[in-house]
Amino acid sequence: MYLIEQQRATLDSNAGALRQAKIVQVVVKARPAWGTGKTRYLTLYDPKARQYQLPGGHVRESDPDNASAAIREIEEEIAGFVFDPETDSLKSIGTIRTDDLSRTYSVLTEYEIEFFLLSTVDGKLPEVRNGCWVSERDLLKQRERDGEPMNVKGLQILDQQLAGGIASLPGSMGMSGPAALRTLVRDRRWELLGLLIGIAGLTLSLLPLLR
């Protein structure tokens, strides 16, 4: 069935989708560890679809809304993670519509995908056994991981729509103490330099008044 649908879509660029699906996907963005220089994004392996993709899945009729569906999905897919509204949040970052051949249902499907950015005050997530942290370049180029394909076509569209792309999104894991200071110095070095120069100038201008 998959090959037949693939052929139909190849021969007819206007081939209509045979099913519709509402999907939520969650962007989990880890700032680079000190000295590594690369931001990483979490992808999970879906054995049914036989590919890597962002955390998330289908919106069910029992889900009150898309955000609730996204929370349910990440709690199911990231073992040990429990969403706490006191410390965690999901921010909608955009919705796209696209047609794609479903590897699960083997038919051309019209997808409505809402993307959320996860923010958590925890410095790290529980270990994800079926997950893989990938660079932005590999993510958007859909490079294979462990010999398996990656499907983030919807994210590619969103990246073009977002001002500054997904690179402009803040990191998901909150930090405090030395880690937060190192990140601030790395990401805002010129602003911090200007602030220090301003403080030094103000101090020098006040010295004569203190004598």
Side-chain angles (χ1 to χ4, degrees), residues 73-107:
E73 287 288 343
I74 58 176
E75 288 186 334
E76 291 176 354
E77 296 178 350
I78 302 178
F81 177 76
V82 178
F83 186 88
D84 183 350
E86 295 293 326
T87 58
D88 307 325
S89 67
L90 281 178
K91 177 184 177 182
S92 177
I93 54 176
T95 301
I96 66 99
R97 289 174 175 80
T98 184
D99 290 351
D100 197 12
L101 188 57
S102 169
R103 295 173 67 91
T104 303
Y105 294 93
S106 300
V107 296

Side-chain angles (χ1 to χ4, degrees), residues 183-195:
T183 299
L184 181 63
V185 171
R186 183 189 65 241
D187 294 347
R188 303 287 184 179
R189 57 174 64 93
W190 297 114
E191 292 91 334
L192 286 174
L193 179 60
L195 178 61

Side-chain angles (χ1 to χ4, degrees), residues 25 33 48 56 65 84 123-124 144 149 156 160 172 179 206:
Q25 291 194 325
K48 292 183 179 180
D65 50 40
D84 183 350
K124 62 180 181 179
E144 291 192 356
Q156 289 176 322
Q160 297 172 357
S172 292
L206 291 176

Side-chain angles (χ1 to χ4, degrees), residues 1 5 8 15-20 99-100 106-110:
M1 183 66 179
E5 273 292 272
R8 182 174 76 92
L18 299 182
R19 62 185 291 270
Q20 290 79 38
D99 290 351
D100 197 12
S106 300
V107 296
L108 191 62
T109 302
E110 178 185 350

